Amino acid sequence: MEWINGGITAPEGFRAAGIGCGIKFDKPDLAVVVSDRDALCAGCFTRNKVKAAPVRVCKDHLSKTNICRAFIVSSGIANACTGEQGIENARRMASLTAEQLGVKTENVMVCSTGRIGTQLPLDKIAKGIVTVVGSASKDGAHDAAVAIMTTDVVPKEASCSTIINGSKITFGGMVKGAGMIAPDMATMLAFITTDAAVEPVFLQTVLRECVDKTFNSITVDGDTSTNDTVLMMANGVAGNPVITAGSEGAEMFRQALQGVCYSLAEQIVRDGEGATKLIQVTVTGAVDNASARKASHCVANSLLLKVAFSGPDANWGRIMAALGRAGIEVDPDKIDVFIGDVPMVARGVEIAGNKNDARQVWKQQTFVITVDLHLGPGKDTCLTCDISHAYIDINL
Amino acid sequence: MEWINGGITAPEGFRAAGIGCGIKFDKPDLAVVVSDRDALCAGCFTRNKVKAAPVRVCKDHLSKTNICRAFIVSSGIANACTGEQGIENARRMASLTAEQLGVKTENVMVCSTGRIGTQLPLDKIAKGIVTVVGSASKDGAHDAAVAIMTTDVVPKEASCSTIINGSKITFGGMVKGAGMIAPDMATMLAFITTDAAVEPVFLQTVLRECVDKTFNSITVDGDTSTNDTVLMMANGVAGNPVITAGSEGAEMFRQALQGVCYSLAEQIVRDGEGATKLIQVTVTGAVDNASARKASHCVANSLLLKVAFSGPDANWGRIMAALGRAGIEVDPDKIDVFIGDVPMVARGVEIAGNKNDARQVWKQQTFVITVDLHLGPGKDTCLTCDISHAYIDINL
């Protein structure tokens, strides 16, 4: 697998564009990703029970067909908690895009991100759809990545190529994140493309697996949103033998897709609202993987700890307190904690003399916290960031 | 029931003192509460699996006897994650206090609050215990309340009297809170006294009930701590007929105790680290009380919402998002939300024209958010506060 340039249009047969249509005052706010031929579609959606209108419409479309020709995405307004009018507006975004492309409404997936509770300005969006679909091109990936941003500081893209059974397969992706980020994907929209030919059930399964290990293993603030969506199109333009579960190329496909998802997920955390640091929390020695996951996420979500990440002290006490309330089996007197490579806590007690070394690690922009519970084989990793004054300013 | 002055020594037969013994640089850090005669003791402790040494020692003492003569409390260092030495130090605090009073070690309960992972300076504390026990008096309640503070801005006390079966019964209390406050009591120490004569099992049961409705229904930052403790002494000096479960005075006793606990709990939230506002979140119409509790706590704990409390907008979208991820049954299209008395959301959609009225309520220092899920009889209330820049400065 090789990282390449090109973003969401890096694979063959995809075009994209991003424009400003007037939802936001003065910024790009409407993006489209088009597949030149029918593509298989797979998706993962928020588990928040308050689901935004576009999430409901996407799920409806996927229940009718797994063939997709385009993603249409607006930013600035989430189209969540908007009642029947909101559903109508989301459907209309899809049907207007379908019209421009000469395809069926259910062949278009629709996403929105931004403020909850406001209705979309559909007249502006309708005009925008004509423009954005008309201008979609191989060169439009970056513009699209910019147009889906809300409080994101930087656009987020990734793309890679790999050879599977002699065919060159390419993946492209873009994502928006920033705040309301927690397991179950939160206010994030991720779009992934590939020119591989893939069996549909395998595509959905492998996407779910990759999402669990990447987008569902990050946290910014523990809040989860109404609009989370990961959508993928696989258009088969690469002409490879169809990749199926258990086939020779399946594992390579999974690894490449997971690589793209991980890159995008990490970019979200790095660009967490006001974040200045990226911290990996790894828990080993839990009784099982599910316990390790609860522990890593509880540590990664601790507000007190996330504030401490911005400060000077390697505040391991807050790690211990988070482990104790994670709702899993722990024996405090068996816990080891490492800050980077520095052993900080052995069997639940601070190791004398290592405080300064730990403090040096803690100052770095990126570091790893490792916890060994010494109870079993369970292991999990979660990415998190610090919470700084800027987080408050952004969310006031 | 009538609120009175006097704090923890308001009931007959109690003395207290607070001094500085040198744990902190220049502030009071050691408090004692003494009962002049044997008192019944009841306690509730953190459910965090990483339990501080004093919590373990208190539980050990309570397993041996329910008779108590004193609480000895230090602030500045939590004596948590301190291994065998920590246990030894906590026991020593109890035994030194017991020695001064001429009672058994297990008749003294010991608490500490402050930073995790550091060992207590026992030489300083030993000298301090002689001084603090020697100076305990009826007038020492306020000094004791000051000496248990850490990042608390103000000391927190409450006391009340009530007539039960012709006897005047008095309650006194003091508490420390501020950060790491969430259900299951967090970094809070609460001490309550009464001169009532009470049956022991009833005392423990009614204390647990009152704790659930008060200290376990508040949140500052969702973090829970290693040291949470609520301890109560009932010394029977009032000379009333012993209050038992189901007896005539039982309900009055419960109400007065709950009143004191509620007052102290509310004071904790008002003094939440950096907090400028007190918000009550009430959820009605849940399928049952347990669901309502999950919902009220999920809303009260939402970091995004707590940041929004400091801002100008009545950001009801974040309330809806929190309800959707609370892990309970909700139908978004049935949810009503009130900001104060202003109906803001009806059946999941914003009520047009009420935004400015809601904004006026949102500006107030204290207001109530009410959610009606329209699904059943379940109801719960949780108190919370805003998260401001000061929270970050305090916890860096």
Side-chain angles (χ1 to χ4, degrees), chain A residues 104-126:
Chain A
K104 288 183 193 159
T105 298
E106 55 259 41
N107 296 138
V108 175
M109 303 295 269
V110 53
C111 293
S112 294
T113 175
R115 196 177 168 94
I116 294 173
T118 308
Q119 296 291 354
L120 290 169
L122 213 68
D123 48 341
K124 291 177 183 171
I125 291 175

Side-chain angles (χ1 to χ4, degrees), chain A residues 50-73:
Chain A
V50 178
K51 290 184 206 310
V55 170
R56 299 201 220 178
V57 169
C58 281
K59 292 185 109 172
D60 178 48
H61 287 188
L62 269 179
S63 73
K64 291 175 180 160
T65 175
N66 58 14
I67 297 301
C68 181
R69 287 294 294 275
F71 304 147
I72 182 83
V73 190

Side-chain angles (χ1 to χ4, degrees), chain B residues 101-273:
Chain B
L101 293 167
V103 300
K104 289 183 194 159
T105 298
E106 55 259 40
N107 295 138
V108 175
M109 303 294 267
V110 54
C111 293
S112 293
T113 175
R115 196 179 167 94
I116 294 173
T118 308
Q119 296 291 352
L120 290 169
L122 213 69
D123 48 341
K124 292 178 182 170
I125 291 175
K127 285 181 200 152
I129 284 173
V130 178
T131 311
V132 80
V133 174
S135 59
S137 76
K138 185 86 179 164
D139 297 333
H142 188 71
D143 288 347
V146 168
I148 65 173
M149 291 164 61
T150 55
T151 55
D152 307 64
V153 176
V154 294
K156 300 166 189 72
E157 303 173 83
S159 31
C160 73
S161 281
T162 186
I163 306 291
I164 300 183
N165 296 328
S167 304
K168 183 181 169 199
I169 303 290
T170 301
F171 291 83
M174 65 178 187
V175 72
K176 69 105 5 198
M180 221 188 242
I181 296 294
D184 292 331
M185 295 188 298
T187 309
M188 56 155 279
L189 303 179
F191 305 97
I192 300 159
T193 51
T194 181
D195 46 21
V198 193
E199 188 277 328
V201 175
F202 172 68
L203 183 66
Q204 179 64 45
T205 307
V206 77
L207 179 63
R208 162 54 65 192
E209 283 170 10
C210 289
V211 165
D212 275 342
K213 293 206 174 162
T214 57
F215 298 119
N216 281 351
S217 289
I218 59 176
T219 181
V220 168
D221 51 18
D223 267 288
T224 62
S225 116
T226 51
N227 290 57
D228 318 334
T229 299
V230 177
L231 284 169
M232 180 164 183
M233 280 194 276
N235 68 5
V237 172
N240 60 299
V242 175
I243 300 169
T244 57
S247 73
E248 221 182 310
E251 181 54 24
M252 291 183 72
F253 184 85
R254 198 190 60 75
Q255 278 183 20
L257 178 58
Q258 189 170 319
V260 170
C261 291
Y262 183 86
S263 167
L264 294 171
E266 187 184 304
Q267 289 179 59
I268 290 176
V269 182
R270 276 190 195 279
D271 193 18
E273 287 176 340

Side-chain angles (χ1 to χ4, degrees), chain A residues 317-352:
Chain A
R318 295 179 184 179
I319 300 171
M320 295 289 285
L323 291 169
R325 69 176 166 90
I328 60 153
E329 196 181 324
V330 295
D331 178 347
D333 300 333
K334 287 188 177 172
I335 299 173
D336 293 344
V337 178
F338 296 79
I339 311 293
D341 291 332
V342 181
M344 189 71 211
V345 176
R347 309 284 148 167
V349 180
E350 184 175 277
I351 299 169

